Amino acid sequence: KNIFSKAIELDPNNLEALDGMGEIASVSDTPHAALPIYAKILHLDPENINALNNRGIHLMSMGDAEASEFSFRKLLKIAPEDIDGLNNLGTNLLQQKRFDEAVEPLNKAIQLAPDSPQAYYNRGVVIMQATPEDYQAALKFFDEAIKIEPKHTSAHVNIASIYTSNQYPKKAIWHLDKALL
């Protein structure tokens, strides 16, 4: 933190130092302290994708879904094929229980980055929450995430949950074991 502070002392508009300060603030005891830093970065560079993404993540974690969504949508206007932005917008809409809207950015992320497990995982979560009776479709997406990243703990946990709900305890235990490893 001291290095970034010194850099900002010398140049208050140093975007790299500000970004570093934002990253440090985001993992501190007061993550909301990162928001003014990202605001300054965006004042200096309104199209800074990293700042828009990080701002959106922080706002989402603080429960401000609307402001978070605005940040992700602005990011995607600048960079419509940004995989993190697409995944984060999909997650944001999922958290707002706007399931139908969450599908589009997640499908686009899968199309653009078919080797990225996160979009498959998020797509499975959409189905799991929106239409739990369609558990086979959710399983397809979770299985795809695991094919790409065999140690995807959250995918294993969700698969175990689906199998438990549908009376397949042996399959559930197998996936829970994988998650625990």
Side-chain angles (χ1 to χ4, degrees):
K1 185 174 179 176
N2 288 339
I3 295 171
F4 294 128
S5 296
K6 291 214 185 275
I8 291 171
E9 237 176 72
L10 296 171
D11 177 9
N13 296 332
N14 183 317
L15 290 174
E16 290 175 5
L18 287 166
D19 188 54
M21 291 290 287
E23 293 291 325
I24 289 170
S26 70
V27 295
S28 72
D29 292 337
T30 55
H32 61 278
L35 291 176
I37 297 169
Y38 290 124
K40 183 169 184 175
I41 293 171
L42 292 168
H43 176 73
L44 297 168
D45 180 10
E47 295 188 352
N48 187 303
I49 292 170
N50 189 48
L52 285 166
N53 195 43
N54 288 336
R55 178 182 180 271
I57 290 168
H58 291 320
L59 289 166
M60 192 165 46
S61 71
M62 293 167 54
D64 191 344
E66 287 180 20
S68 173
E69 179 183 348
F70 174 79
S71 204
F72 296 134
R73 288 197 186 276
K74 184 173 180 185
L75 179 159
L76 291 169
K77 279 186 181 177
I78 298 162
E81 296 186 350
D82 184 88
I83 302 304
D84 291 333
L86 289 164
N87 267 311
N88 288 332
L89 176 60
T91 301
N92 173 282
L93 295 167
L94 173 65
Q95 285 185 356
Q96 295 182 62
K97 306 223 182 297
R98 292 163 52 193
F99 303 118
D100 291 341
E101 292 176 68
V103 169
E104 182 185 338
L106 296 174
N107 282 349
K108 187 172 181 181
I110 290 169
Q111 176 190 5
L112 293 170
D115 59 341
S116 173
Q118 198 58 42
Y120 288 104
Y121 170 77
N122 290 337
R123 230 0 222 103
V125 173
V126 169
I127 295 169
M128 192 175 172
Q129 290 185 12
T131 54
E133 67 281 356
D134 192 11
Y135 69 90
Q136 292 293 343
L139 286 173
K140 264 187 3 187
F141 285 105
F142 293 138
D143 284 337
E144 197 61 41
I146 289 171
K147 280 182 195 168
I148 298 165
E149 186 180 317
K151 295 180 181 181
H152 198 297
T153 303
S154 298
H156 282 292
V157 168
N158 281 337
I159 290 172
S161 175
I162 289 170
Y163 283 143
T164 299
S165 297
N166 290 285
Q167 309 302 316
Y168 296 106
K170 288 182 181 177
K171 289 182 177 184
I173 290 169
W174 187 87
H175 282 281
L176 285 175
D177 285 344
K178 291 289 183 182
L180 292 171
L181 293 175

